[in-house]
Structures are given as structure tokens and as C-alpha cells.
Amino acid sequence: MEQRKLMRVLNGETVSPPPVWLMRQAGRYLPEYREIRAKAGGFLDLCYDPDFATEVTLQPIRRFGFDGAILFSDILVIPDALDRGLHFVAGEGPKLTPLRVDEVASLDPSRAETHLAPVIATVARLREELPAETTLIGFCGAPFTVATYMIAGHGTPDQAPARLFGYRHPEAMEKLLYLLAEMSADYLIRQLTAGADCVQIFDSWAGVLDEACFEAYAIGPVRRMVEKVRAAKPDAKIIGFAKGAGAFLSTYREKTGVDAVGLDWQVPMGFAQDLQRSGPVQGNLDPLRLIAGGRALDEGVDRILQNLGSGPLIFNLGHGITPDAPIEHVEALLKRLRG
Ligand SMILES: Cc1c2[nH]c(c1CCC(=O)O)Cc1[nH]c(c(CCC(=O)O)c1C)Cc1[nH]c(c(CCC(=O)O)c1C)Cc1[nH]c(c(C)c1CCC(=O)O)C2
């Protein structure tokens, strides 16, 4: 078979119109998701049930024909494998038992393989059921972003608990991040073995870090992951999404070794073009343009195409789609993009 479009871009080719998928494309903005979610019980029950997770991953592909399907799971399955008391409270997001500094040394990764087996089974099912032209994207959280939830025990606006933990306990922070890096790399290797075509590392909170901490938390552990994945899978294609990283993105590809750089919606087009000279980029429509639709949506799509469309580009949002995104606006985005 001719290579999948999204994989061609990850190999450095320019494809026109560009392949497209949307972060969080399986989710609450789809009525068919809300229906299954009500049947499955909790959100985590969905993630660990290969029948449900396969179905939910396929829903946006059937409806919109995206070029990429992202595995339905969550970045917090890794702390769940570490038995950190993960649960989801409706309307409030994830809750975990806040990690104390004296607990870091006794975190035990040995359950991970068994615990994550249903997610790996979902990947294998997906590769069988997806259309041949659809790229299957595996993923995990980057160590720092996962650690922010483990340390605070919930989401926070600026991740102050994790940043303070790092300043007060640098050795424990390093130990935690590299433990997560090893586990996450093993998890990505298993996803690739089971049939994922490529993987994305989500560092959704990298944007809160100062320069020294960005190096220590957002570069070092991610570079270790990339090295470990490449040692097992020399041809693996990896997308790195460090949201809000701003000027740090200029060296992100080179320092971490990722193939493609994910761009949030604030990355300026001139800077994005510079990044594209060294390889593929992904992004970066403001998710609110998708909510607004109409002119705001058309102008946002056109601007990305005009500036980045003549190089290797995977079209995406600059962060995840939200539950209030109208389905007709997703259709309008695809029409604008594909003609
Ligand atoms: C930080 C983070 C998380 N999860 C994720 C991130 C990184 C990306 C980002 O920054 O958005 C990543 C993620 N979460 C989910 C996916 C699935 C695949 C996809 O469609 O993109 C992916 C790739 C499903 C999900 N993960 C979650 C939902 C909503 C759960 C529900 O159905 O109630 C989905 C579809 C829950 C979740 N999971 C997480 C939070 C903070 C929340 C609650 C916020 C919310 O309710 O939207 C942690």
C-alpha cells in the first residue's frame, strides 16, 4: 500500500492538502461518545475496555474521515498503574492521592505491564479495524505533565505544587521524572509493537517552566524516552507537543530528538516557518476559532495553510477540542482544508 498521508509528512514530505486530525477528537462534543460513555459507567472504565475504547476511537474517523486516529485512553493511566488513587469527578477532572516526597523512592512500576494490557489490546484491535489509509497514533503524557497531576493530586492553573516540589526536592523530582520516562517509553514501545504507526508525547504543562527547569524537566526526560523508544524501534516516528513552550521550541526537536514539533495556537507563523525548515510541524488552530466558526474559523485555517502549507504540515488544533465544539464547524474546517 502507498504510505499513509500522515506518515509521509512525518517522513518529511509535503502533502497537499495536509493530513488532519484533532487533539481530543474522540470525546464529549460527539453525541455517539456521550451515549457510549453513559453505558460504560466511568471514564476510566471506557479506557480499560478494548470494545468500548476501540469503538470510541473509531467514532470520529467514521464521521469525519480524519487522516489520523488517536488511541482512546488518557495520560493518567501511568499514575494509575502506580496505584495513585486515580478517579474522575464529574465536572472537576482527575483526582489522585497527592504524592509526598518520601513516597517517591517506593513507587513500584512492576504492575504497569499487566495494568496497561487492555490499552495495548485496544491498539491491536484498532489496527485491524481502521481503514488502511488512516494513521494510528499512540500516545502518552510527558513525565513533567504527568508528575504535575501526581504531585498536586488534581489539575491546577499554574502547576505551582509541582514547581515548588522541584525547587525544594530536586533529587526526588529527578527520580520521579526518570521513573516516569522509563515507564512511558516502555508503554510507547508496546503501543508501536501492537500496531501504532507513530506516537505523540503530550507535555501540556511545559509552558509553566523557567529555562533551567525546562531543560531539566521538559527536555532531559523526554530525550531519554526518545532514546529508549528508538533503541527498540529505530524507525519510530515521534511527535512532541510541549504546549506553551514559546521560544524553547527553537531547539526542542534537536535537543529531544522528536521527529515533529506540535505547535500551540500562540506560536507565531514566522517562528513556525523557521521550525518547519528543520522538519515537520503540527498545529495550530486556536480551538476557540472552531467554536466560533464562520469567518474566525476560515481565516484561522487559511493563515495556517498560507504560512505552513508548502512544507511538511500535519493540520491540527493548538490544543484539544472542547465539549462545546459544534459538529458543523468541524465539517466546515475539513471542507475549507480539503476543498
Ligand atoms: C492533561 C491531559 C489529560 N489527558 C490528556 C492530556 C494531555 C492533552 C491535553 O492537555 O488536553 C490526553 C488525552 N485525554 C484523552 C485523550 C484521548 C484521545 C483523543 O481523542 O485525543 C487524550 C490524548 C481523553 C479524555 N480525557 C478526559 C476526557 C473527558 C472524560 C469524560 O468523558 O468525562 C477525555 C475524552 C478527562 C481528562 N483527562 C485529563 C484531564 C485534565 C481531564 C479532565 C478534563 C476534561 O474533562 O476535559 C488529563
Side-chain angles (χ1 to χ4, degrees):
M1 194 201 82
E2 193 193 337
Q3 220 193 353
R4 300 180 173 114
K5 264 197 204 171
L6 202 148
M7 295 309 293
R8 284 167 54 200
V9 173
L10 289 177
N11 281 307
E13 257 186 74
T14 299
V15 175
S16 187
V20 54
W21 67 283
L22 304 181
M23 289 187 273
R24 291 277 185 99
Q25 67 192 15
R28 287 164 294 181
Y29 73 108
L30 293 176
E32 59 270 35
Y33 173 83
R34 295 194 297 268
E35 196 181 305
I36 290 232
R37 172 83 161 71
K39 273 194 230 154
F43 167 66
L44 279 176
D45 300 318
L46 260 188
C47 293
Y48 295 128
D49 181 321
D51 291 331
F52 283 133
T54 300
E55 170 58 22
V56 164
T57 305
L58 294 172
Q59 286 174 345
I61 308 305
R62 284 192 204 114
R63 197 186 258 275
F64 303 115
F66 291 124
D67 298 283
I70 184 156
L71 164 68
F72 188 83
S73 178
D74 198 82
I75 64 166
L76 299 176
V77 295
I78 292 283
D80 198 32
L82 290 167
D83 216 5
R84 298 309 302 167
L86 176 67
H87 57 287
F88 282 82
V89 178
E92 288 181 48
K95 306 273 180 210
L96 302 91
T97 309
L99 182 69
R100 293 190 323 259
V101 61
D102 58 297
E103 291 178 304
V104 171
S106 52
L107 290 172
D108 173 14
S110 65
R111 275 178 73 235
E113 191 171 340
T114 322
H115 183 83
L116 298 170
V119 183
I120 303 303
T122 304
V123 174
R125 280 272 300 278
L126 280 168
R127 194 55 281 171
E128 279 171 25
E129 295 194 25
L130 277 168
E133 67 273 16
T134 313
T135 295
L136 177 55
I137 306 162
F139 77 94
C140 69
F144 175 67
T145 287
V146 173
T148 63
Y149 291 94
M150 292 179 73
I151 292 167
H154 52 83
T156 77
D158 57 1
Q159 304 303 355
R163 289 154 67 200
L164 282 171
F165 187 102
Y167 291 129
R168 288 178 177 143
H169 315 292
E171 290 85 15
M173 186 67 162
E174 187 179 326
K175 197 166 167 54
L176 172 61
L177 294 177
Y178 281 89
L179 171 80
L180 294 172
E182 296 300 323
M183 290 178 74
S184 305
D186 288 339
Y187 179 46
L188 292 183
I189 293 165
R190 291 177 71 199
Q191 294 181 32
L192 289 159
T193 303
D197 295 294
C198 63
V199 291
Q200 173 156 323
I201 301 172
F202 284 88
D203 213 346
S204 306
W205 288 101
V208 301
L209 296 169
D210 74 11
E211 186 175 15
C213 291
F214 193 88
E215 285 288 325
Y217 306 165
I219 299 282
V222 172
R223 182 177 56 229
R224 169 64 194 143
M225 286 174 62
V226 172
E227 281 167 4
K228 188 168 187 180
V229 171
R230 287 262 158 71
K233 303 274 172 192
D235 301 328
K237 293 293 168 199
I238 305 173
I239 306 167
F241 177 56
K243 181 172 175 283
F248 301 137
L249 284 183
S250 61
T251 52
Y252 192 73
R253 190 193 321 264
E254 176 196 328
K255 286 186 174 174
T256 59
V258 298
D259 298 281
V261 179
L263 312 173
D264 64 75
W265 70 88
Q266 291 201 283
V267 175
M269 283 295 129
F271 183 62
Q273 287 172 330
D274 289 344
L275 297 175
Q276 203 184 37
R277 278 186 256 286
S278 66
V281 294
Q282 173 177 279
N284 71 341
L285 187 78
D286 184 348
L288 290 188
R289 288 188 183 269
L290 188 61
I291 307 291
R295 198 172 142 188
L297 176 59
D298 290 347
E299 286 176 357
V301 173
D302 292 354
R303 191 175 156 84
I304 294 169
L305 285 181
Q306 275 154 20
N307 286 283
L308 302 174
S310 47
L313 169 69
I314 299 167
F315 195 97
N316 206 319
L317 301 178
H319 196 200
I321 189 170
T322 47
D324 50 345
I327 283 167
E328 314 82 71
H329 294 181
V330 178
E331 286 162 354
L333 182 161
L334 290 172
K335 190 144 190 289
R336 191 84 183 176
L337 201 60
R338 293 171 166 170

